[in-house]
Amino acid sequence: MSEEPATDTKTDAETAPSAAGMTADGTGDTPAAVPGAGMVADSNGASAPQSRTADIVPGPGGVMTDEVGVVTGDLTLRTEYADGKVTLRVQYKDADEWYVVTGGSAPLADPAGLDAVHSVAVGLLNRPEG
């Protein structure tokens, strides 16, 4: 029988990572570099401003605004969400100034509702056939 030199005799269990980097209490051995880890969806009511726009042609009588009264003709409608509130604004198409639609502001608890509010506003205000 031949003798072989002694070698390190650690078992696979001793050399393998321990439970994929987890410890017995469920915490990781080291912090994981995962983008977005630790982020929460709810930031205490604060949400980044969001908006949706659509070109519209209001029916007879136009759209009443707080700043300049009635606006008519080819318009752009913008539905904005910021600070828990939705606001409708209109502008003459390709103009710089925006005007708040009279009565077009309301609380909106969930910004996910912005698309629905915008769709309803377009449906109510866009009346190209009168």
Side-chain angles (χ1 to χ4, degrees):
M1 238 175 150
S2 68
E3 287 191 36
E4 294 183 22
T7 60
D8 190 4
T9 59
K10 290 186 178 178
T11 65
D12 286 344
E14 293 173 319
T15 59
S18 62
M22 299 300 287
T23 61
D25 67 356
T27 61
D29 286 337
T30 59
V34 178
M39 301 288 291
V40 292
D42 184 7
S43 55
N44 296 328
S47 181
Q50 302 176 41
S51 68
R52 306 290 185 268
T53 60
D55 290 334
I56 63 169
V57 177
V63 176
M64 178 63 78
T65 68
D66 292 347
E67 296 86 359
V68 296
V70 175
V71 292
T72 60
D74 292 339
L75 304 174
T76 301
L77 171 69
R78 181 171 71 197
T79 307
E80 305 172 337
Y81 175 83
D83 299 325
K85 184 170 83 170
V86 66
T87 303
L88 303 177
R89 298 180 192 274
V90 291
Q91 72 175 175
Y92 291 105
K93 192 169 178 185
D94 299 323
D96 293 329
E97 300 84 16
W98 287 94
Y99 309 113
V100 175
V101 174
T102 299
S105 184
L108 183 64
D110 186 353
L114 181 63
D115 288 331
V117 172
H118 182 68
S119 293
V120 169
V122 169
L124 291 170
L125 297 176
N126 187 36
R127 300 282 180 219
E129 304 299 321

